[in-house]
Amino acid sequence: MSNYYLAIDIGASSGRHILGSIENGEIQIEEIHRFENKLHQEDGYLCWDYSVLFDEILEGLRKAKTMGKVPSYIGIDTWAVDFVLLDGEDGLTTPMISYRDNRTKGLDEAVNRRISYRELYQRTGIQKQIFNSIYQLIAAKRDFETALDDAEAFLMVPDYFNYLLTGIQSVEYTNATSTGIVSIAENTWDDLLLEELGIPRRLFGEISQPGTILGPLQDEIVERIGYSAQVVLPATHDTASAIMAVPSLDENDVYISSGTWSLFGTETKTPIVTEEAFRLNFTNEGGYGNRICFLKNIMGMWLLQSIRRELEERDKTDYGFDQLAKLAMESSIESVIDCSDARYFAPESMIAEILSYLDETDQRKPATVGELAYIIYHSLALSYAKTLRELESITQLKYEKIYIVGGGAQAELLNQLTADKTKCTIFAGPVEATALGNLGVQMIASGELKDTLEFRKLIAKSFEIKVYKGENR
């Protein structure tokens, strides 16, 4: 009988528990719990509520017991860059502040005065994003006078939840690389960089590879949920988990992990830190199996999510993503926005920001909700096409196929526009890529599957992959 595996996948807006197993030669999955992940203001900062999130983690674990489908293995993945600083009594020396808080504004320049952007990229391979952990640590040092001195451990968000479950402190590799303080040459913390920035090295424990079986649940957790299980480190960075589930068998294919962010790139065996890669702001994040996720961050479905919330508040009606897509398909407007512009990162009003950009660039403003949605879909497809050309220039390869995984794989209009603009064949699916990648690492760690190749073949067999054709280049 196959094991049950449980992927706890927590994103920036919601989390879910996905139960998985292998039955009759296919992967079967079932969502057993879903919950919101809301930001809140705490002491003037935009924060995550870790206690609510951990309660939801336990609630989903209890539901598995109630259903009679007790998992043998459990894995947690979340977004990247955010972390906690633990004191000697397991308390936090700062709130769990979100990467969307503006506390890091200007700190990239402060770091640049000590170590140049180019040298930082050469040493860590990570693109400059103002919310990277390196800048958040400098902000913590500035805003909380004794936060670093009082702390005894630095843990990324999924590592912290794993610690609460098992009592074991460990920092997983794929998420650690997102910090901007891991040496790409050594795959461990950059001691010299930490020293240069005045960040205590003692806070940073050993980095563990995805696939590591961390250990069993603590006794107190077993008492609360009614069973024991082994906690496995998947690729705890949700992007790396999603890429793990790309059903491509060709090393030279392109992927888009399409969700709140669109992560556009390819897998490589070694980092790429050339001048061109630096100039175009591509990043080298850790992946499963000692692979590099060489990719670029594009604003993604965050644009659509934001206008949807505003429209619902304004019009006092529900706008589902399917409805927005239908309205967009019935519309046509040539106006476009630059999806890479930082102005769309966390505006007070996404709609107002888009309209302002169109005014500034003398483009026609949308007259309907459908035209507004079409501008976003069209702009994203153009952004994908531009990024593809950049990727081809950096790698000196020509790509004919693009695999789109994650929630955005359901956006048929965007998929077709992407095929048209990139002139590539688009393979869309699976939708639950992040949870599946999480489950896949657990299945390999347990010995039920051999390796990534076997897992990806199983993905292609188990889930519908839709194909969209573009014109050949």
Side-chain angles (χ1 to χ4, degrees):
M1 180 178 176
S2 174
N3 290 307
Y4 284 115
Y5 305 86
L6 186 62
I8 303 171
D9 170 30
I10 308 177
S13 58
S14 66
R16 63 266 178 87
H17 290 55
I18 305 289
L19 199 67
S21 60
I22 300 175
E23 300 175 19
N24 300 318
E26 294 187 358
I27 297 175
Q28 303 294 326
I29 59 172
E30 178 181 6
E31 181 181 301
I32 64 171
H33 185 54
R34 179 175 285 267
F35 53 94
E36 285 189 307
N37 183 15
K38 290 184 177 180
L39 290 167
H40 69 281
Q41 288 287 336
E42 183 178 339
D43 299 330
Y45 297 96
L46 202 58
C47 299
W48 308 106
D49 194 327
Y50 68 89
S51 61
V52 168
L53 290 176
F54 191 63
D55 285 344
E56 294 288 1
I57 288 172
L58 296 182
E59 179 61 23
L61 292 173
R62 281 190 286 265
K63 283 186 178 179
K65 169 75 169 179
T66 301
M67 296 170 63
K69 297 181 178 180
V70 173
S72 301
Y73 300 89
I74 296 166
I76 300 176
D77 68 78
T78 75
W79 66 99
V81 305
D82 288 344
F83 58 86
V84 299
L85 295 169
L86 285 182
D87 64 22
E89 298 179 352
D90 292 344
L92 306 189
T93 65
T94 76
M96 188 186 280
I97 303 174
S98 167
Y99 68 91
R100 289 201 181 272
D101 186 85
N102 65 5
R103 66 179 176 149
T104 54
K105 185 177 181 180
L107 290 182
D108 53 339
E109 291 294 341
V111 171
N112 186 48
R113 286 192 289 271
R114 299 187 188 186
I115 177 171
S116 72
Y117 296 140
R118 184 68 182 97
E119 184 182 351
L120 195 61
Y121 186 74
Q122 190 72 35
R123 285 163 61 171
T124 69
I126 298 300
Q127 69 184 129
K128 184 173 80 69
Q129 299 269 30
I130 191 59
F131 50 74
N132 285 352
S133 312
I134 187 173
Y135 305 124
Q136 293 198 52
L137 281 163
I138 299 299
K141 185 178 179 182
R142 177 198 63 195
D143 297 347
F144 300 89
E145 187 175 350
T146 64
L148 270 62
D149 291 335
D150 293 343
E152 294 193 1
F154 167 99
L155 295 175
M156 306 296 287
V157 170
D159 302 319
Y160 177 56
F161 291 137
N162 283 333
Y163 175 56
L164 295 179
L165 289 175
T166 66
I168 300 170
Q169 292 185 7
S170 179
V171 183
E172 187 274 328
Y173 165 70
T174 66
N175 220 320
T177 62
S178 75
T179 61
I181 50 178
V182 171
S183 164
I184 57 169
E186 304 296 335
N187 278 348
T188 189
W189 306 109
D190 189 320
D191 291 353
L192 182 58
L193 178 58
L194 291 170
E195 181 181 345
E196 289 172 336
L197 298 177
I199 299 170
R201 174 63 177 86
R202 60 180 173 76
L203 300 179
F204 300 88
E206 184 178 350
I207 294 175
S208 300
Q209 287 294 319
T212 300
I213 297 179
L214 196 60
L217 297 171
Q218 295 192 81
D219 291 344
E220 61 184 79
I221 301 298
V222 173
E223 290 177 9
R224 294 175 70 176
I225 67 171
Y227 61 91
S228 185
Q230 293 288 333
V231 174
V232 177
L233 296 181
T236 64
H237 183 188
D238 52 10
T239 297
S241 270
I243 292 168
M244 172 69 176
V246 171
S248 166
L249 307 182
D250 187 338
E251 289 187 352
N252 292 327
D253 285 336
V254 171
Y255 55 75
I256 305 174
S257 176
S258 180
T260 300
W261 291 91
S262 289
L263 296 315
F264 189 112
T266 188
E267 284 187 298
T268 62
K269 294 179 180 178
T270 56
I272 302 174
V273 290
T274 60
E275 186 62 38
E276 186 177 20
F278 169 70
R279 178 176 57 81
L280 295 173
N281 215 26
F282 276 74
T283 198
N284 295 268
E285 295 175 350
Y288 178 76
N290 294 311
R291 301 304 292 261
I292 297 295
C293 303
F294 183 70
L295 58 86
K296 189 169 189 176
N297 286 355
I298 301 170
M299 202 68 70
M301 301 306 284
W302 164 250
L303 297 160
L304 204 64
Q305 293 164 357
S306 297
I307 69 161
R308 178 192 177 190
R309 283 193 295 269
E310 286 188 53
L311 290 169
E312 290 181 341
E313 290 176 5
R314 185 193 74 184
D315 299 344
K316 307 302 179 187
T317 188
D318 291 334
Y319 283 96
F321 291 118
D322 288 345
Q323 181 186 6
L324 288 174
K326 182 175 183 295
L327 292 172
M329 290 177 73
E330 296 168 351
S331 307
S332 181
I333 181 171
E334 291 301 312
S335 302
V336 296
I337 61 172
D338 178 3
C339 297
S340 64
D341 196 317
R343 68 195 296 163
Y344 305 119
F345 179 64
E348 289 187 14
S349 167
M350 184 67 77
I351 294 174
E353 203 65 56
I354 290 172
L355 297 180
S356 176
Y357 179 86
L358 296 177
D359 265 340
E360 293 167 16
T361 53
D362 295 321
Q363 298 184 78
R364 183 165 76 83
K365 292 191 287 190
T368 65
V369 169
E371 287 187 347
L372 177 62
Y374 185 87
I375 286 172
I376 291 175
Y377 286 122
H378 186 201
S379 299
L380 280 172
L382 289 172
S383 181
Y384 295 160
K386 177 176 179 288
T387 306
L388 178 66
R389 292 192 294 271
E390 293 173 346
L391 181 64
E392 289 181 329
S393 177
I394 292 169
T395 63
Q396 293 297 294
L397 295 171
K398 182 178 180 180
Y399 302 100
E400 304 290 346
K401 297 180 288 184
I402 300 176
Y403 287 80
I404 301 179
V405 299
Q410 300 173 97
E412 294 194 359
L413 174 59
L414 179 57
N415 295 339
Q416 188 58 59
L417 285 170
T418 301
D420 294 340
K421 300 303 179 183
T422 63
K423 298 179 174 58
C424 288
T425 302
I426 304 300
F427 297 85
V431 172
E432 299 291 356
T434 303
L436 283 166
N438 183 326
L439 293 169
V441 174
Q442 295 181 53
M443 291 170 177
I444 294 170
S446 75
E448 189 161 1
L449 292 180
K450 180 183 176 183
D451 54 22
T452 304
L453 182 61
E454 184 179 9
F455 171 64
R456 285 177 168 168
K457 287 179 178 178
L458 201 55
I459 288 285
K461 179 182 177 184
S462 304
F463 300 93
E464 180 184 13
I465 310 296
K466 293 187 177 180
V467 180
Y468 300 81
K469 295 284 188 178
E471 296 178 6
N472 293 327
R473 288 183 289 170

